[in-house]
Each structure stands twice: as C-alpha cells, then as structure tokens.
Amino acid sequence: SSATCTNVKKPVDVVFLVDASASVTAEGFNNHSKQYVKDVVSELQIGTNQNDARVAVAQFSSDFLVESHLDDGTSKDVIKKAVDEMPFSAGRTCMAKAIYNVRDVFNNAKESAQKILVILTDGDPNCGGNVSDQIGKAVSEGIDIWAVGVGPGISVDSLEKLTRNEDK
C-alpha cells in the first residue's frame, strides 16, 4: 500500500543548484538535471499558503546565475518555465563559489521553513575555492544539503562530501 503525505507540519524552501559545467555534458544537463527538477517540483505542494513549499533554481559552472528566486517559486508553471529556459553553459565546475552565492538565495527563506539545497552535479569541482568551507557555512546557517549525481563521470566520494552523509 502507498501512503500520501497530506498533512504538512513545516514548510520547505528548496533551492536546486544545477551544475552546467562541461563535465556534466549537455545531455546530462538538458535530459537529466532539468527533468529531475521538474519531476520533483510536480510532486511538491507549492504555493503561497503558510505551509506550502517554495522553490528557487540556480545554475553554476564558471559563473553563477539565479534562474528563479524563492519569492517567484510559488507557482509550478513559473518554476518549470525557468528550468526549461535555463541554458547549458559548459564552463568549469566552480562549486565553492556557487555554494557561497546560493547561500544568499536563502536570505528570502520563510523563517519557519526547512531550508534544503539540492545540488545536481557530477561532484568534481575544479575552480572557485574551498567547497568544504562553504558547505560548513551553509550547514551552520541551517541549510540541509542533498546531492544528486548527474553526468557520465559521477564522483560518489565528492557527492558524499557535499552532504557530509553517505545516505543523502
């Protein structure tokens, strides 16, 4: 038997941080990462009510770009449109800089919300500073970090370091 969660106790503010670097590949970015975000969004109770989820979407490679802010992320259609229009940049994997910048996206989080950062990446940073330091700062700010492997060369070890937990 399957159970459906219909009694939300605490809202969530979710930020999807999507790796658009060359190592993820255009196929990984367009066919896997973007589809994953849209699939998860379609299952969330998104809206403007007190316990509704809100979603922001950002991408990174050599640069960092917010595609949709939390304040905009109260409509599934708006979020899906932002994801569909997100271009693949094929740059480097500047993950620490991206995590530093994505922490600012959570400044608009609801005070009562659980803050979740979902990083979609192959897990192999090659520029942008110390990832571990930025992870530590994000965690100390109450951000729960999940990692999703994407691309042909997924580094499970790097993904585990992002979450600081082998089960996420």
Side-chain angles (χ1 to χ4, degrees):
S1 76
S2 66
T4 303
C5 178
T6 56
N7 190 2
V8 176
K9 302 270 191 251
K10 185 176 188 178
V12 293
D13 278 349
V14 181
V15 178
F16 289 96
L17 181 58
V18 183
D19 186 342
S21 66
S23 58
V24 167
T25 73
E27 179 186 356
F29 180 81
N30 290 312
N31 300 343
H32 302 289
S33 295
K34 289 168 93 169
Q35 191 60 51
Y36 177 87
V37 173
K38 291 190 291 185
D39 288 349
V40 172
V41 166
S42 72
E43 297 299 321
L44 292 174
Q45 181 181 316
I46 291 175
T48 56
N49 293 326
Q50 182 179 342
N51 284 335
D52 286 347
R54 298 185 310 163
V55 172
V57 180
Q59 68 157 298
F60 74 99
S61 59
S62 300
D63 296 312
F64 172 83
L65 183 63
V66 177
E67 302 289 348
S68 175
H69 291 272
L70 286 171
D71 291 340
D72 305 323
T74 57
S75 157
K76 291 182 183 185
D77 289 339
V78 168
I79 298 161
K80 288 179 181 181
K81 184 176 189 289
V83 171
D84 283 338
E85 294 177 353
M86 203 165 48
F88 177 62
S89 60
R92 299 179 70 201
T93 312
C94 300
M95 194 178 302
K97 184 171 80 171
I99 295 167
Y100 171 83
N101 285 310
V102 85
R103 288 169 40 220
D104 285 341
V105 177
F106 281 105
N107 286 343
N108 289 337
K110 292 182 197 171
E111 199 169 313
S112 61
Q114 178 181 352
K115 297 184 278 189
I116 299 173
L117 172 60
V118 181
I119 305 173
L120 290 89
T121 181
D122 58 2
D124 198 14
N126 57 20
C127 62
N130 187 311
V131 174
S132 184
D133 285 352
Q134 290 304 319
I135 293 291
K137 289 176 180 173
V139 168
S140 74
E141 293 165 359
I143 300 169
D144 194 16
I145 300 173
W146 300 0
V148 177
V150 179
I154 296 169
S155 168
V156 175
D157 184 52
S158 292
L159 295 178
E160 288 175 353
K161 286 178 183 167
L162 288 175
T163 63
R164 295 189 171 179
N165 179 335
E166 294 180 10
D167 298 326
K168 290 198 234 167

